[in-house]
Amino acid sequence: MLLRVLLVGLIWGCSNPLLKIGSRALPERSAAQEQPQLKRIAWDLYHMATTWQFVLPFLLNQSGSVAFFVLLGQVDLSVAVPAVNALCLATTAVVGSLLGEEPLALRGLLGALLVLLGVLLCALAKQ
């Protein structure tokens, strides 16, 4: 059970900073494209679907969502949801820092480790 919770938290946590980076690769709209809303939506969807820097992290994120829904059918909800969310938060902070976002201070790293310890304690208490 703990391995499955860890896997989903890591998938989501790794895909979040990658999605942020991938969204920067999307082209910006010109002033002419700021007209009808339907055209804007179609333009955005087309460019999201054709930009691999966005598509690959999006698919990774969605695979985490599928794994999460499978996990919810197998694990106690009171453990799975907070554990996955906490692991996702900690992983996003660490991976984002490694990928050049705001550097993770010692306090942030300590917080991420405490989150992981809390998740481990919750999982062990439910077993």
Side-chain angles (χ1 to χ4, degrees):
M1 184 229 29
L2 183 60
L3 185 61
R4 289 178 274 179
V5 168
L6 184 64
L7 180 65
V8 173
L10 289 174
I11 288 172
W12 272 347
C14 290
S15 67
N16 287 337
L18 293 173
L19 273 169
K20 184 177 181 181
I21 291 169
S23 66
R24 292 184 200 140
L26 296 172
E28 292 191 29
R29 292 187 216 117
S30 66
Q33 291 168 321
E34 293 291 339
Q35 292 170 359
Q37 185 175 2
L38 190 57
K39 264 188 174 177
R40 274 188 307 197
I41 292 171
W43 189 89
D44 287 342
L45 288 174
Y46 169 77
H47 286 287
M48 281 186 230
T50 58
T51 305
W52 69 267
Q53 295 96 328
F54 183 82
V55 170
L56 293 180
F58 178 75
L59 292 175
L60 179 65
N61 185 279
Q62 293 307 300
S63 69
S65 296
V66 170
F68 181 67
F69 282 110
V70 170
L71 179 71
L72 290 180
Q74 301 169 346
V75 178
D76 185 13
L77 195 64
S78 65
V79 173
V81 173
V84 168
N85 287 336
L87 288 169
C88 177
L89 178 67
T91 305
T92 298
V94 171
V95 171
S97 177
L98 292 174
L99 292 176
E101 291 182 13
E102 188 175 322
L104 194 59
L106 183 59
R107 255 177 115 170
L109 188 57
L110 179 62
L113 290 173
L114 289 173
V115 164
L116 295 175
L117 180 62
V119 167
L120 180 63
L121 291 174
C122 284
L124 291 174
K126 284 290 183 174
Q127 286 185 351

